[in-house]
Amino acid sequence: MKQSEIKELSTAELQEKLGETKKSYSDLKLAHAISPLENPIQLRTIRRTVARIATELTKRELQ
């Protein structure tokens, strides 16, 4: 998910999306611990998406 897409979402949608992506990240991490993922780069991209969403939420709280 790109930063431009994140900025277009409302705060409620961002909080919902953050929960979803954190859950998918933990599921992928668990699956990777059991048996290696076919594409381990997915972990990095999802982790960065979580950070982007959290950053946008913090930015909105400060304004």
Side-chain angles (χ1 to χ4, degrees):
M1 184 170 238
K2 294 186 178 184
Q3 189 67 27
S4 59
E5 296 171 354
I6 292 173
K7 286 183 179 181
E8 293 173 0
L9 298 175
S10 70
T11 304
E13 290 173 329
L14 280 177
Q15 290 172 341
E16 182 181 329
K17 195 71 147 167
L18 183 64
E20 291 172 6
T21 49
K22 278 187 175 181
K23 172 132 176 51
S24 70
Y25 177 68
S26 63
D27 291 344
L28 269 179
K29 214 167 120 175
L30 182 64
H32 185 61
I34 294 170
S35 65
L37 290 176
E38 202 171 297
N39 185 8
I41 302 300
Q42 284 178 315
L43 291 171
R44 184 189 331 165
T45 57
I46 292 179
R47 188 175 63 239
R48 288 181 179 176
T49 301
V50 168
R52 283 186 187 107
I53 294 171
T55 301
E56 182 64 28
L57 282 171
T58 304
K59 182 177 157 187
R60 289 183 185 186
E61 286 176 8
L62 294 175
Q63 287 181 350

